[in-house]
Amino acid sequence: MGIKLTMLAATGSDKMSGELIGTVVITGLIVVFVALILLVLCVSLFGKLFEYINKRKDINKNTTSKTEETTVNDKTDIAPVVEDGISDEVVAVITAAIASLNTNSKGITYSLKSIKRSNNSSRRAWANAGIIENSRPF
Amino acid sequence: MLEKFFDAISQLANESGFAGLFADGGWKSIVMILISFIFMYLAIAKKFEPLLLLPIAFGMLLTNLPFADLYHPEFFNLEPGHDLDFSQILHDGGLLDILYLGVKLQIFPPLIFLGIGCMTDFGPLIANPKSFLLGAAAQAGIFLTFIGAALLGFSALEAGSIAIIGGADGPTAIYVSTELLGSGGFDISVGTIALAAYTYMALVPIIQPPIMKALTTKKERSVVMGQLRPVSRTEKLIFPILVTIIICLLIPAAAPLVGMLMFGNLLKESGVCERLVKTAQNELMNIVTIFLGVTVGATTRADKILNSEFAKVIALGVIAFGIGTACGVLFGKLMYVATKGKVNPLIGSAGVSAVPMAARVSQKVGQQEVPSNYLLMHAMGPNVAGVIGSSVAAGVLLSILQ
């Protein structure tokens, strides 16, 4: 239900009384604080709910994936094979991009196995990226 | 034939803008044109919020060119009980009259908020919901400035329009002042409010640091805050829906601004409306910004600027920013005490909704004490909370004063 505030008799050109000034200031401050405190409570509540849900998911994941851990760790411990001529900075950027993909990939982790130059396109990489972007289906 | 030629030249000369500059009261147009040059300089050379200040300054130039007739304030000054005469605007209006309908009908500011929502990440706020309180505290600048405006003799509607400058939010200031000053007959205009708001938003890095340092101790400024918890995609999806429902039910007058802000944010967080998000962030924002800026600038006619009321608005504007910053920092100190030193009070100053400049100022002042202290993400929480807070304050002002 919306807050219905009393219309005060203040026309455009009247000078204000102390009562009107006090009403606007006190009402305004209280309403803004009440509205945002309500939001604090609601956001805190669903934040705690999601933390609880995520904790439960993590516990379940840990109990079922312990046996796979060593194999996964073995895979991620292997250093990527990098073609000659590709600088360390390029490797770092590609690795960082994959790391950011891992944070959003819902439990699936990607690891870098090798980096080599692509020779199968006459277009430059950015041109290819632009074409893919603009021809993506709706 | 020669006589007719001279008659035609004479007529053109009498109808030219140059004749208007030398007519009675024409000197005011010259002064306004020079003032528009100053704002153009601030926008271009000093980079004071150029995306809006430059269109506003150019709108000021266009509206003060005599006989250009791009904007007619008399079409929009409504007496109580009267509606806009759309046929007159479309028939007799200039380009800026027709574009100004987007401001008058309250279309442009909510569309700007749609774009802002598409560009805002509420993650830091969701991770630390107490930041909402800092956003609320900073809005005290709005209501305390209302008192100052009242004491200086402004009417309720003028004081409400001036007070909203303290929210440090341009579209909100334009939205509120358009509603409150719509009937005309005031000494200030929407353009006056917008000019003050955008100029001071650009001055946040100059206005805030002295206040922040004066109100905090070295120990308080040196607090290093812990890392924020990760926020899931589901939380980011639920947040805009939750905020829309709560705020719009509580204060319906805030619905256009908060609703569009959250709509834009939901589009972005959904991840399935990339094309819409790209348009809202880029083409839509740019088009609306151009139209909003130039038409708001067109309201800055000589009679609204060359008076003592404009000087009072400029003075009250800086007071509003200062009080908002001070209230945010003081509430931050309260949280510092309540959390036994876990909250750095400097992030309270980011509760004014000048996103992201105010958050960057908190980061910079914090780093002056502890170079390895990264307060930016912590300050973004109150900063974006301030956007919501100023929209709520706008809704309250409109509910009470209209």
Side-chain angles (χ1 to χ4, degrees), chain B residues 41-84:
Chain B
Y41 169 77
L42 289 175
I44 297 169
K46 298 294 181 191
K47 296 191 173 44
F48 275 28
E49 295 287 333
L51 293 179
L52 262 137
L53 201 57
L54 186 58
I56 289 175
F58 206 82
M60 185 191 286
L61 170 67
L62 289 175
T63 202
N64 286 290
L65 292 170
F67 308 139
D69 287 343
L70 285 164
Y71 174 71
H72 301 83
E74 62 273 18
F75 290 171
F76 299 98
N77 295 336
L78 302 175
E79 287 173 15
H82 286 80
D83 290 329
L84 278 178

Side-chain angles (χ1 to χ4, degrees), chain A residues 53-65:
Chain A
I53 292 169
N54 288 337
K55 264 190 200 151
R56 298 278 302 181
K57 271 188 193 163
D58 285 342
I59 290 168
N60 288 340
K61 215 185 282 177
N62 283 341
T63 54
T64 55
S65 66

Side-chain angles (χ1 to χ4, degrees), chain B residues 125-140:
Chain B
L125 179 58
I126 299 169
N128 186 16
K130 292 191 290 296
S131 304
F132 269 119
L133 299 176
L134 293 168
Q139 307 317 314

Side-chain angles (χ1 to χ4, degrees), chain A residues 1-3 5 7 12 14-16 21 25 28 31 35-38 40 42 44 46-47 50-51 133 136 138, chain B residues 129 132-133 136 143 146-147 150 153-157 186 229 234-235 238 242 246 249-250 274-275 278 396 402:
Chain A
M1 185 152 237
I3 291 178
L5 296 164
M7 275 286 287
D14 284 352
K15 299 295 181 243
M16 284 185 278
I21 298 169
V25 173
V31 170
L36 295 190
I37 286 170
L38 204 56
V40 171
C42 293
S44 299
F46 84 69
F50 278 98
E51 268 186 60
E133 182 67 29
R136 194 183 292 180
F138 296 163
Chain B
F132 269 119
L133 299 176
F143 297 101
F146 185 86
I147 300 174
F154 286 105
S155 65
L157 299 178
F186 301 105
R229 72 170 178 88
T234 314
E235 289 177 271
I238 293 176
L242 186 73
I246 291 174
L249 287 178
L250 204 55
E274 240 179 273
R275 290 166 57 90
K278 268 192 198 159
V396 172
Q402 268 192 315

Side-chain angles (χ1 to χ4, degrees), chain B residues 204-258:
Chain B
V204 154
I206 297 171
I207 297 172
Q208 286 198 322
I211 299 171
M212 291 156 76
K213 286 177 185 165
L215 292 176
T216 51
T217 62
K218 194 175 166 65
K219 186 183 170 196
E220 287 167 347
R221 289 196 293 275
S222 305
V223 168
V224 176
M225 294 178 68
Q227 198 169 4
L228 292 168
R229 72 170 178 88
V231 174
S232 67
R233 183 170 170 259
T234 314
E235 289 177 271
K236 288 188 181 183
L237 282 171
I238 293 176
F239 179 81
I241 301 169
L242 186 73
V243 171
T244 304
I245 292 171
I246 291 174
I247 298 298
C248 295
L249 287 178
L250 204 55
I251 304 146
L257 291 176
V258 172

